[in-house]
Amino acid sequence: MVDITFKSPTLRKAIALATVKVSEQRTINMIEQRQVPKGDIFEFARAASLLAIKKTGDMIPDCHPLPVEYAAVRYAIEGLQIHIEVEVHTIYKTGVEVEAMHGASIAALVIYDMLKPIDKQVEIGSIRLVEKQGGKSNDVILGIDSLRSAVVVCSDSVAQANKQDVSGRLLVQLLEQQGLTDINYSVVPDEAEAIRNCLEGHQAAGIDLLLFTGGTGLSDRDITPDIVSPYISRPIPGIMETARQYGQQRVKTAMLSRGISGFAGRMLVLTLPGSPNGVRESVAALFPQLFHVFQVRENIRHD
């Protein structure tokens, strides 16, 4: 199965459509008048569809079992065609497209089975996905490539060349994967003046997104949030709360990170952990949704 442990649960929806074709109007009349010998085809198919939706993970080897928060089966008759529409919702890490299609296909099979004694030409037509929502495929943000960003590594050992930087380089790579192209990279020691000068310099240069990595822990030299905090004119506490919550689901000590976030003027500033895993998890938790703050910023400016 595909690894989805790095993903975060989000609301996901899918609608699938299946079609059953009959050969004569007499069959449609019997359906509408509830005269099919095996019973009400719509109620039987609905019950089977709901069971199929819930059991998709058991039947399709690579599908993850997931909680089904909502499911609906709807029917429409057009001429000699019976359209079956199945809608499924979940709040989970992966989508419900296969669940919706599985439900639609089983409903179509039940209808086929119940109609074949009275219509030897009945057949199942197409089964297809009509709509899906949720997940990163719906988080396309325009204008990302125009954002100017900067990564700053706060580390005495890296600044003194006693240690190779891993987290900062990783952060640059992960941001590039998110679509950012203009990324400045620098290293500063865990010193108040160096961090202040770096922040003020990037602010003066018109940087849109500034990410510090390192200095968010509990040692005496971990001062990044303390130095950055006075510059934050509009805090956005939910950003780092989300990152900490995501991290705690994997490593309980993630709760000890003191990272902060918010706007310093028009520049969004984040203070991330200094470990590679902390960086990787923070990016997975926050992007690409974080880019929406820049759309809001632009809307406010234009209004």
Side-chain angles (χ1 to χ4, degrees), residues 17-25 27-29 31-32 41-42 74-85 123 126 128:
L17 184 67
T19 301
V20 177
K21 302 176 183 179
V22 302
S23 65
E24 55 184 352
Q25 185 62 40
T27 305
I28 296 296
N29 294 340
I31 293 170
E32 293 177 333
I41 67 168
F42 293 143
R74 297 181 284 267
Y75 304 100
I77 296 176
E78 293 183 2
L80 298 181
Q81 294 185 338
I82 304 165
H83 299 296
I84 308 159
E85 185 181 81
E123 63 180 51
S126 64
R128 61 188 178 90

Side-chain angles (χ1 to χ4, degrees), residues 198-209:
C198 182
L199 190 151
E200 292 173 3
H202 284 108
Q203 196 171 31
I207 293 295
D208 297 296
L209 174 61

Side-chain angles (χ1 to χ4, degrees), residues 164-271:
Q164 290 290 323
D165 171 47
V166 176
S167 298
R169 297 295 184 185
L170 173 62
L171 182 52
V172 170
Q173 179 183 351
L174 293 174
L175 293 176
E176 289 175 340
Q177 292 174 4
Q178 293 294 328
L180 295 176
T181 56
D182 186 355
I183 306 175
N184 181 273
Y185 168 85
S186 59
V187 178
V188 298
D190 293 305
E191 296 177 0
E193 184 177 0
I195 296 172
R196 289 194 194 98
N197 290 340
C198 182
L199 190 151
E200 292 173 3
H202 284 108
Q203 196 171 31
I207 293 295
D208 297 296
L209 174 61
L210 174 59
L211 301 101
F212 289 96
T213 172
T216 63
L218 301 176
S219 75
D220 292 339
R221 298 291 289 175
D222 289 329
I223 60 172
T224 305
D226 308 281
I227 303 305
V228 170
S229 181
Y231 290 90
I232 301 296
S233 55
R234 175 163 290 189
I236 313 178
I239 292 177
M240 296 314 297
E241 288 171 4
T242 297
R244 276 187 285 271
Q245 181 184 38
Y246 183 96
Q248 278 187 270
Q249 292 175 343
R250 292 151 180 82
V251 180
K252 291 300 181 182
T253 52
M255 67 181 179
L256 302 178
S257 174
R258 299 188 303 116
I260 62 172
S261 57
F263 277 106
R266 290 183 54 76
M267 180 173 69
L268 180 62
V269 183
L270 278 65
T271 60

